[in-house]
Structures are given as C-alpha cells and as structure tokens.
Amino acid sequence: PLKFSVTPEQVTVKKIEQELYHVGLSEKVGLLLGILKNEPDGRYLIFCNMKSTAQNIDTLLNANGFTAASITGDLDQRKRMKVLSRFKEGTLAILIATDVASRGIHIDGVTHVINYDLPRDPENYVHRIGRTARAGSGGRAISLACEKYVHSLPEIEDFIKLKIKVIPVTDEIIVTDYRKPSRGKKNFRTSSKK
C-alpha cells in the first residue's frame, strides 16, 4: 500500500499586505494609473475578469509610458510564453491577465498583485494574490472594488476569514490627465476629467 499525505491549501499568505479601494467605474483607470505612478519600481501582475478589459488596460498603460503586456485564454501558446519570459526576465514590468491565463504562473519577484476587477469566485481571489509573496518574500495585493464587482467582496472576506483593509480614495492618487489610446486600437473607452 502507498501512503499519501495532503496538506490543505492555506487560504491566505500571511506575508501579503491586502488593501482595497472602493472606486467608481469612471475613476477606476485613473486610480490604477495613480497606484502605478506612486510605486514605479514594482513588478505588477494585474488581474481582470474579461479578455477585452485585459487588452484595453494593456493598450492604455502602453499609451501612458508603462511597459505592459496582456495574456488571455485565447492567446497563442508561443506568444504567451514569450510574454511570460519577458516578465520573468524583468524586461516587462507589468503583466495583465485573466484568470484562465493565470493558471500556472509561478514567477518570483512579483511585488504587487492588483485585482483591477474583483473576481466573482473567492477561490480565484486567493489564487490571484498568491502570485506575490513567493519564496518567503512579502508582497501587496491591491483590489479595486467598483460598483460592477463589489458584490463579490462579502463572499471573498468570508472565505479568507479576514476583513480587507479599506484605503480611502483621494483626489491626489487619481490620475486625470492620462493619454487615451487612438480610436483604432482595441476600442478602448475611458472617462477622463481634464
């Protein structure tokens, strides 16, 4: 007979600092840009719920001087591996992904995970934030809770048995003078105050 021992999955990693911003859809892009500009030396993994959102954020960030790329479930395997290789090597500072594409991403040195969209499934939240604080290091998980996805928050907090620290959104952190990508590029629409 063979003996198997299974260790239950730890729900949250203790070294991950978890933060949450309550933000309206119209200010979500500006808040993301503000977070990235305030901590420019981080290695970011940004999660979105939909492929179109991931592609739009990719286009927006590149239009505003950030080195970013996205991977989604339907991206060709060769292209996905090339993007992941750039992220692992550090030549790509920001990787945007959907949950489907994120499976199997085991990269050391990710300093920040940003949930641009709160996941609908609490287990996906744990999976996402676990991409940081690897190999004994610390990390930050920042979630943007907009009116479209905030309904997932109580279930996430019940699952992780923790109330996520809420950070107030201030005008200083929201970037309003960002560049919008050209109309022909992936149909990105933003709401920007001038």
Side-chain angles (χ1 to χ4, degrees):
L2 295 174
K3 183 178 179 181
F4 291 95
S5 176
V6 178
T7 305
E9 185 178 335
Q10 189 176 7
V11 175
T12 56
V13 179
K14 291 179 181 175
K15 292 189 176 189
I16 300 174
E17 181 184 334
Q18 298 177 60
E19 302 172 358
L20 180 106
Y21 290 91
H22 287 284
V23 63
L25 275 170
S26 64
E27 295 179 324
K28 203 170 175 182
V29 167
L31 178 57
L32 175 64
L33 290 169
I35 291 167
L36 296 173
K37 285 186 178 189
N38 282 339
E39 296 184 50
D41 296 328
R43 288 190 64 209
Y44 291 88
L45 183 50
I46 300 172
F47 285 102
C48 303
N49 289 346
M50 296 179 355
K51 173 183 114 170
S52 60
T53 306
Q55 292 170 335
N56 289 339
I57 295 300
D58 177 351
T59 303
L60 173 90
L61 293 179
N62 280 288
N64 284 278
F66 293 97
T67 306
S70 61
I71 56 172
T72 58
D74 64 350
L75 186 65
D76 174 82
Q77 183 67 15
R78 247 183 346 181
K79 289 179 182 175
R80 184 182 303 175
M81 295 312 294
K82 186 176 179 181
V83 169
L84 285 173
S85 178
R86 288 177 55 215
F87 191 61
K88 283 180 184 178
E89 293 164 358
T91 59
L92 180 67
I94 302 169
L95 178 64
I96 305 121
T98 59
D99 287 316
V100 171
S102 70
R103 301 294 178 197
I105 295 178
H106 301 290
I107 299 171
D108 293 335
V110 175
T111 59
H112 297 73
V113 168
I114 297 179
N115 288 303
Y116 183 79
D117 299 323
L118 276 177
R120 293 181 177 105
D121 181 346
E123 288 184 31
N124 282 344
Y125 176 82
V126 173
H127 176 75
R128 288 176 178 189
I129 70 169
R131 302 305 94 201
T132 188
R134 300 184 73 76
S137 63
R140 285 179 60 202
I142 302 167
S143 297
L144 310 184
C146 66
E147 58 268 30
K148 187 172 181 181
Y149 296 110
V150 72
H151 63 275
S152 302
L153 183 58
E155 199 174 338
I156 290 168
E157 290 179 330
D158 285 347
F159 186 74
I160 64 173
K161 296 173 180 43
L162 176 75
K163 192 100 170 127
I164 301 169
K165 179 181 174 184
V166 175
I167 306 296
V169 177
T170 60
D171 289 340
E172 295 82 40
I173 195 167
I174 296 177
V175 173
T176 57
D177 59 344
Y178 57 88
R179 293 184 66 197
K180 296 180 186 179
S182 304
R183 286 214 171 251
K185 295 197 174 191
K186 299 182 186 174
N187 267 343
F188 194 84
R189 289 184 221 137
T190 62
S191 172
S192 174
K193 295 182 260 176
K194 290 287 176 176

